[in-house]
Amino acid sequence: MAAALESAWQVLIANFTEFQLATVFTFLLHETVFFLSGLPSLLFERFGLFAKYKIQKKSNTSAYQNRCVLRLILYHVCVNLPVMIFSYPAFKFMGLRSSLPLPHWTVVVSQVLFYFILEDFVFYWGHRALHTKWLYKHVHSVHHEYATPFGLTSEYAHPAEILFLGFATVVGPALTGPHLFTLWLWMVLRVLETVEAHSGYHFPWSPSNFLPLYGGSDFHDYHHRVLYTKSGNYASTFVYMDWLFGTDKDYRKVKAIEEKEEGKKNM
């Protein structure tokens, strides 16, 4: 497996410059993973598939879904891609490399885990700040235009928010100066996580049913469907930050009531 990865990586670095890989290829990888993972929940909602697993009974219209997709393409091309291009020198200065050998799997796993923990911490405080009156009204309200989220709404946001909360995603890699392979893996996993959290569906196989401390779709969907001053559940991936600072109390109360009512139905 390791030999095959290194062979494939050798082909990449032999045919493309590091700048091309770190910018254009990173952008294309992001777009591929994001849209392929985000489109299923859009289609489920549009065609009424898996309705029993849909968290909210409300659905977005096709026109509203299409509006989201078109604006995402605009934001990604006009904001995300330029940021990737202009931030390359900074990442290079901080130690980004693409040469062989690839880092050992223990290094990759430990760095990605560190990125998840640090990103969740930084995102929590940044997201909580975005729910103050002025920032919500002028910036974060764009993201909350979709009170019934689907996967692709995860990156639907004001350009200022893209830059503001994007810092949480890149601060870990900036500190460690990772190999480009590790950076790509981190990006893919982070995209899959946020798409799942915004999917609007909670399946029996959803990660939150198996991973301790993972928030997931049910945890974040609550954040979208209540008034912004009472939403809580600000963390991106895990639940412990909201638990530690008491910003999940309303969510816990609602879950307790739902579980109690479900218990009565099963009696």
Side-chain angles (χ1 to χ4, degrees):
M1 180 66 176
L5 276 175
E6 295 219 344
S7 296
W9 197 262
Q10 178 61 50
V11 173
L12 284 176
I13 62 176
N15 290 281
F16 302 97
T17 66
E18 184 177 76
F19 175 77
Q20 290 171 330
L21 292 172
T23 57
V24 177
F25 271 67
T26 299
F27 177 76
L28 293 175
L29 177 61
H30 172 273
E31 297 305 286
T32 301
V33 174
F34 176 69
F35 281 103
L36 286 181
S37 62
L39 280 173
S41 60
L42 180 151
L43 296 174
F44 294 165
E45 183 180 57
R46 181 169 296 191
F47 297 110
L49 304 175
F50 300 105
K52 65 184 277 188
Y53 299 117
K54 195 171 188 309
I55 299 169
Q56 296 188 49
K57 301 306 177 185
K58 297 182 295 182
S59 292
N60 296 287
T61 64
S62 297
Y64 212 42
Q65 289 180 334
N66 295 340
R67 173 178 174 269
C68 174
V69 173
L70 291 174
R71 290 198 180 185
L72 279 170
I73 294 171
L74 177 66
Y75 291 159
H76 285 185
V77 172
C78 297
V79 179
N80 292 16
L81 180 58
V83 167
M84 289 179 184
I85 292 171
F86 288 110
S87 64
Y88 171 73
F91 272 95
K92 189 64 179 172
F93 175 77
M94 293 177 185
L96 177 70
R97 69 181 185 88
S98 60
S99 58
L100 288 172
L102 294 176
H104 193 269
W105 71 268
T106 56
V107 174
V108 174
V109 171
S110 61
Q111 286 188 342
V112 169
L113 181 60
F114 170 68
Y115 300 160
F116 265 114
I117 294 171
L118 181 60
E119 189 278 340
D120 193 67
F121 177 84
V122 175
F123 186 98
Y124 173 86
W125 292 110
H127 191 189
R128 192 167 174 178
L130 285 172
H131 276 260
T132 55
K133 188 174 182 179
W134 192 92
L135 284 174
Y136 184 88
K137 179 181 178 180
H138 296 282
V139 179
H140 195 49
S141 59
V142 173
H143 181 64
H144 279 268
E145 287 175 12
Y146 289 86
T148 306
F150 53 93
L152 295 179
T153 61
S154 57
E155 295 192 3
Y156 180 87
H158 190 288
E161 179 175 340
I162 295 172
L163 298 174
F164 183 55
L165 290 184
F167 173 76
T169 303
V170 301
V171 64
L175 289 174
T176 63
H179 193 281
L180 184 59
F181 175 81
T182 309
L183 186 64
W184 281 359
L185 178 61
W186 159 237
M187 180 183 70
V188 168
L189 292 175
R190 179 70 179 99
V191 167
L192 293 176
E193 180 276 320
T194 191
V195 166
E196 192 277 330
H198 287 82
S199 67
Y201 289 81
H202 185 73
F203 297 106
W205 54 86
S206 292
S208 58
N209 293 329
F210 307 100
L211 300 177
L213 302 180
Y214 179 80
S217 57
D218 187 66
F219 186 77
H220 193 71
D221 198 273
Y222 176 83
H223 175 82
H224 274 263
R225 68 178 185 261
V226 300
L227 188 66
Y228 82 93
T229 55
K230 299 180 179 180
S231 55
N233 292 14
Y234 299 117
S236 59
T237 304
F238 306 112
V239 298
Y240 57 82
M241 286 294 292
D242 285 282
W243 178 79
L244 283 171
F245 294 97
T247 47
D248 65 348
K249 289 181 179 178
D250 290 338
Y251 168 72
R252 298 297 173 193
K253 290 176 183 177
V254 169
K255 291 301 295 180
I257 293 171
E258 289 177 353
E259 290 172 5
K260 187 175 182 179
E261 291 177 348
E262 187 65 27
K264 289 180 180 178
K265 290 179 182 179
N266 296 328
M267 288 178 64

